[in-house]
Amino acid sequence: MTGNRERRPVIIDIAVCTYRRVELDQTLLSLAVLTVPAGTLVRIIVADNDVTPSARDRVEAMRSAVPFEIAYVHCPASNISIARNACLDHATGDFVAFIDDDETASEDWLSELLVMADTTGADAVLGPVRAVYPNIAPGWMRRGDFHSTSPVWVSGDIRTGYTCNALLRRNAPSLAGRRFDLALGRSGGEDTEFFTHMHKAGGRIAFAKDALVYEPVPNGRATLAWLTKRRFRMGQTHGRILLETSAGPGRWTAIALAAAKSGYCFAAAALFAALPVQRHRYGLRGIMHAGVVSGLFGVREIEQYGNLEKAPQ
């Protein structure tokens, strides 16, 4: 009888894009102890974005410590969009979960993402990324928590996202055939564009506040210079996306608005000169809006990854 048939298991591919990071071991070990709901099967896809398959031996050495199947994919080179697309191309499950190769997942990470997906029926679910600062990080940076990641709501709606903690429903119409832009694979912003266009195609994005992952902040990123460059690039990406739908007078209106916001934020930063957290928060926001102006003028995003992020294996 039909009613006696066993329910088909839910299959989840966990995608980990990697590029010369020794922290990959800790990422995989954190996935090894995930709480997996009954009736759920997990597979891990590791996409190695190096020119040579430098992560292959590391993955092979970790297989005995991880209770899930690990699919290793070599997808050169030095372009994160290539790696993300390789994960999507090799995924066969009902869902694809993305986590970065320098992050560690909380035990309930996957369960919390799945619960929110089931509860809301959303096409994508985002979780928070909590930054873990080194001792050399300035006090204002730790107090203001400038590196942690959470979604931004606009009129109660999440309109874009990120891949450092996300779950995608593979059969959602808004995700059919969707891939990450190769032109943005070295600058960053490819995930912002991906989720923005998914949302414009009717995809809904939800947030699972308890689906937590942790990300250590390297010394090289615990600087105002790195934050400045990142915020400007984020603004460039947003400006370029606005440019797609802003033509003629609409473009100049958007430029004037972004310039006004930038000026306001810089003025507020000066006003709060004696308060480092507020000063830097307004200053960085002003830099982001300046990046929006740059993007609206058609300036391509600065390259922040690839060669700049290289580290020895």
Side-chain angles (χ1 to χ4, degrees), residues 54-136:
S54 59
R56 187 192 300 274
D57 290 344
R58 186 175 300 280
V59 171
E60 291 300 323
M62 293 298 298
R63 288 189 188 277
S64 61
V66 179
F68 312 121
E69 176 189 349
I70 302 178
Y72 171 85
V73 182
H74 182 220
C75 46
S78 306
N79 183 314
I80 191 61
S81 291
I82 294 175
R84 299 204 198 288
N85 290 339
C87 290
L88 293 176
D89 291 341
H90 285 81
T92 58
D94 303 285
F95 294 93
V96 181
F98 278 93
I99 184 172
D100 285 353
D101 63 344
D102 58 346
E103 296 175 340
T104 54
S106 58
E107 286 190 20
D108 294 330
W109 168 64
L110 194 60
S111 298
E112 293 291 343
L113 290 174
L114 280 173
V115 166
M116 187 57 63
D118 289 341
T119 301
T120 64
D123 297 355
V125 180
L126 306 176
V129 180
R130 182 174 298 172
V132 180
Y133 288 96
N135 292 332
I136 70 162

Side-chain angles (χ1 to χ4, degrees), residues 260-308:
K261 288 181 177 179
S262 182
Y264 171 84
C265 289
F266 286 136
L271 183 65
F272 287 103
L275 301 173
V277 173
Q278 291 87 336
R279 181 179 76 241
H280 286 106
R281 199 175 301 283
Y282 276 112
L284 289 168
R285 190 159 184 84
I287 288 165
M288 184 193 70
H289 287 302
V292 174
V293 174
S294 172
L296 282 164
F297 274 111
V299 178
R300 297 298 300 181
E301 287 89 338
I302 55 178
E303 288 192 359
Q304 193 167 10
Y305 303 109
N307 289 334
L308 296 178

Side-chain angles (χ1 to χ4, degrees), residues 10-17 41-45 83-99 109-110 113-114 117 122-126 162-163 165-172 175 178-180 194-195:
V10 175
I11 302 173
I12 304 173
D13 291 303
I14 300 177
V16 185
C17 301
L41 298 179
V42 172
R43 182 177 72 136
I44 299 172
I45 302 172
R84 299 204 198 288
N85 290 339
C87 290
L88 293 176
D89 291 341
H90 285 81
T92 58
D94 303 285
F95 294 93
V96 181
F98 278 93
I99 184 172
W109 168 64
L110 194 60
L113 290 174
L114 280 173
D123 297 355
V125 180
L126 306 176
Y162 42 79
T163 48
N165 184 355
L167 180 75
L168 306 179
R169 191 183 301 272
R170 282 189 65 244
N171 63 355
L175 290 167
R178 192 168 302 284
R179 293 296 183 268
F180 293 89
F194 180 94
F195 283 99

Side-chain angles (χ1 to χ4, degrees), residues 98-224:
F98 278 93
I99 184 172
D100 285 353
D101 63 344
D102 58 346
E103 296 175 340
T104 54
S106 58
E107 286 190 20
D108 294 330
W109 168 64
L110 194 60
S111 298
E112 293 291 343
L113 290 174
L114 280 173
V115 166
M116 187 57 63
D118 289 341
T119 301
T120 64
D123 297 355
V125 180
L126 306 176
V129 180
R130 182 174 298 172
V132 180
Y133 288 96
N135 292 332
I136 70 162
W140 62 264
M141 187 178 292
R142 294 195 299 269
R143 293 194 302 274
D145 196 13
F146 286 82
H147 289 74
S148 290
T149 304
S150 288
V152 175
W153 280 265
V154 179
S155 301
D157 191 24
I158 302 174
R159 300 183 181 180
T160 190
Y162 42 79
T163 48
C164 47
N165 184 355
L167 180 75
L168 306 179
R169 191 183 301 272
R170 282 189 65 244
N171 63 355
S174 65
L175 290 167
R178 192 168 302 284
R179 293 296 183 268
F180 293 89
D181 189 345
L182 297 183
L184 300 177
R186 290 177 63 85
S187 64
E190 77 294 334
D191 48 356
T192 299
E193 182 183 67
F194 180 94
F195 283 99
T196 297
H197 286 113
M198 186 207 83
H199 182 268
K200 288 181 177 179
R204 292 193 298 120
I205 305 174
F207 178 58
K209 64 181 180 62
D210 294 321
L212 188 63
V213 302
Y214 300 90
E215 180 179 23
V217 179
N219 292 347
R221 294 187 182 187
T223 65
L224 180 59

